[in-house]
Amino acid sequence: MNTKRLIFWASFIIILGLIIWGLFVAMNKPLDTTPTLGTPADVSSTDHARGSADASVTIIEYSDFQCPACATYYPLAERLLNESSTTVRFVYRHFPLYPVPHKNALMASEASEAAALQGKFWEMHDILFDNQKLWETSSTAGTIFETYAERIGLDVETYKKDVVSDVVKARVQKDWDEARTLGINSTPTFFVNGKAIVNPNGYEAFKAIIDSAIR
Amino acid sequence: MKHLKRSLTLPFAEASSVAVIILLIVAMLGFADATYLTIEHYRGVIPPCSIIKGCEIVLTSPYSVLFGVPVSLLGALYYLLVSLGAFIYLESKHGKGEIATHHSSILKWTLIITVFGFGMSLWFVYIQLFVLHSICTYCIGSALTSTILFITAIVMLRHSSIKQTEHMRNDSALPPELPQSI
């Protein structure tokens, strides 16, 4: 192979390599643009919170049960909480992206609020995320949620009445209105001790944010 | 259409370097786009869900995977194949200084596979618009690159066929007693 051909081939392979390498580097670099959002309301007794009330770090998540990214972060937040439940408190607030792009998101939020009236918000939260793929595009999501209500041990008849009640609708709407006031337009949006953060790339990155908030 | 049909049976005439370079650059852009989506897929990082976009719906839908393989990976391999085909031809023309018959065949088949790439893109655009009712910008980017590749390929195949037909006409116009090589 003469030198000219060698240079041609080497350039081709190098360019392909640079494309792949550049993509890896760019994608592993967190975006510097910390969202400029307002400060969320203090955690109140009407909020759904896990972890110690005296925790030094409070994570508030504005989330949507039909959002695949939220489902990806759900086990990360759970792990964070399990590993540091005395220092971290996790609060879930609703921001269903309804009717587009998530047609069943509002119904899912209402299902969780109906479960909350029977003291089982987190059980419904978990089962909704664990089975997101099964109901996300279903036209009978309401019926599927009734089976979840039964599985987590709710009084199904009460659940059926609650899920369509004004109380439940108003509770979801309250979170939604606040999210919009804060300027949130995507989910999940996390606040750590009242400050919006850039969504971390994985568990370690998330933990690093929490550790720096503890210090 | 007549020319295109003929171009499949006739040997491939010498292609313009500019057209092959366009093919190469666009295929590499498509490769970068599809590789980005493939890395996203395997990293398991899903773009946040937003009020206006629906990228996450497209990227997590059952249509994004074919027999366990992400379609973005298949797309990346397709673009890699087209880039390689275009590069081999260019390298043969400018590196070696001559074009071997098999290099012309490689380019011809590279052009032909862009038809499949274009067909797949049409299918994915249909799925996004009419089944998922959501659009993913990166997927539309890939549809755009595969459309440019397809159009370039059709123009090149047609051009080659016209050139070969003219060549054959000139050959048959020669007096029978004269050797064909003159």
Side-chain angles (χ1 to χ4, degrees):
Chain A
M1 192 181 260
N2 64 38
T3 321
K4 199 175 171 187
R5 293 189 67 198
L6 202 67
I7 292 171
F8 262 120
W9 275 102
S11 317
F12 180 66
I13 291 164
I14 287 171
I15 290 172
L16 285 181
L18 279 176
I19 290 175
I20 298 171
W21 176 79
L23 286 171
F24 265 107
V25 170
M27 290 165 78
N28 280 322
K29 205 171 139 194
L31 295 170
D32 294 334
T33 48
T34 310
T36 45
L37 301 171
T39 310
D42 288 339
V43 181
S44 74
S45 57
T46 58
D47 268 310
H48 306 295
R50 275 207 268 213
S52 164
D54 306 321
S56 54
V57 178
T58 297
I59 307 170
I60 298 177
E61 180 191 7
Y62 281 85
S63 179
D64 168 341
F65 287 115
Q66 203 189 322
C67 162
C70 300
T72 311
Y73 279 100
Y74 145 65
L76 303 190
E78 191 118 300
R79 197 175 147 197
L80 264 177
L81 205 59
N82 288 340
E83 289 183 7
S84 39
S85 60
T86 52
T87 47
V88 173
R89 177 168 57 159
F90 182 79
V91 176
Y92 185 99
R93 287 183 183 166
H94 302 281
F95 188 44
L97 303 176
Y98 172 84
V100 280
H102 301 154
K103 65 171 183 170
N104 291 330
L106 180 64
M107 221 192 288
S109 288
E110 289 168 352
S112 71
E113 282 304 328
L117 291 176
Q118 296 186 46
K120 294 206 168 178
F121 171 83
W122 291 105
E123 286 82 348
M124 185 58 95
H125 163 279
D126 293 353
I127 205 168
L128 285 171
F129 273 137
D130 287 337
N131 297 287
Q132 191 190 64
K133 288 274 160 255
L134 299 177
W135 57 264
E136 60 181 356
T137 53
S138 171
S139 51
T140 56
T143 318
I144 296 173
F145 298 156
E146 284 171 14
T147 65
Y148 294 166
E150 198 177 347
R151 267 163 62 185
I152 61 172
L154 296 182
D155 179 318
V156 180
E157 286 314 309
T158 311
Y159 165 84
K160 281 186 190 172
K161 274 183 222 141
D162 288 341
V163 83
V164 290
S165 70
D166 289 342
V167 178
V168 158
K169 282 188 194 340
R171 176 65 189 80
V172 175
Q173 191 64 43
K174 177 185 156 280
D175 280 359
W176 198 93
D177 288 342
E178 192 190 73
R180 292 305 289 149
T181 312
L182 294 175
I184 297 173
N185 58 16
S186 66
T187 55
T189 297
F190 293 99
F191 292 87
V192 173
N193 286 346
K195 238 179 120 184
I197 60 160
V198 176
N199 287 353
N201 276 343
Y203 178 73
E204 292 308 322
F206 209 160
K207 192 159 183 348
I209 294 172
I210 303 308
D211 288 345
S212 65
I214 294 171
R215 270 182 239 124
Chain B
M1 202 65 201
K2 188 176 72 184
H3 283 297
L4 288 177
K5 266 187 195 164
R6 197 174 289 160
S7 66
L8 296 180
T9 49
L10 289 174
F12 195 74
E14 190 175 332
S16 119
S17 295
V18 176
V20 185
I21 288 171
I22 291 175
L23 213 62
L24 181 63
I25 292 173
V26 176
M28 281 182 139
L29 285 176
F31 174 73
D33 184 13
T35 306
Y36 168 78
L37 290 173
T38 309
I39 299 173
E40 280 279 270
H41 179 94
Y42 284 112
R43 282 196 336 160
V45 176
I46 295 168
C49 305
S50 157
I51 293 173
I52 34 169
K53 288 179 199 159
C55 207
E56 81 287 351
I57 295 180
V58 178
L59 297 182
T60 57
S61 80
Y63 302 97
S64 68
V65 177
L66 197 68
F67 305 116
V69 182
V71 290
S72 53
L73 178 61
L74 299 177
L77 292 176
Y78 158 72
Y79 287 117
L80 185 64
L81 210 63
V82 175
S83 330
L84 202 62
F87 178 76
I88 287 173
Y89 186 82
L90 267 185
E91 193 272 331
S92 151
K93 195 172 175 182
H94 297 279
K96 240 161 74 173
E98 61 183 72
I99 302 163
T101 321
H102 66 275
H103 287 155
S104 287
S105 299
I106 287 174
L107 183 64
K108 185 168 109 177
W109 284 103
T110 301
L111 298 180
I112 291 167
I113 63 164
T114 64
V115 179
F116 295 101
F118 180 63
M120 288 305 285
S121 282
L122 281 183
W123 165 249
F124 290 129
V125 170
Y126 165 78
I127 292 288
Q128 287 179 74
L129 290 179
F130 300 105
V131 179
L132 301 172
H133 304 288
S134 301
I135 288 285
C136 175
T137 323
Y138 298 104
C139 311
I140 294 298
S142 179
L144 201 69
T145 46
S146 63
T147 307
I148 298 172
L149 289 180
F150 172 71
I151 294 170
T152 315
I154 293 296
V155 171
M156 287 169 78
L157 284 169
R158 193 171 184 278
H159 185 71
S160 159
S161 164
I162 293 170
K163 258 170 114 173
Q164 290 289 28
T165 312
E166 278 169 5
H167 186 67
M168 281 167 68
R169 266 198 210 118
N170 292 341
D171 279 356
S172 58
L174 290 171
E177 63 272 16
L178 287 173
Q180 293 284 305
S181 58
I182 290 177

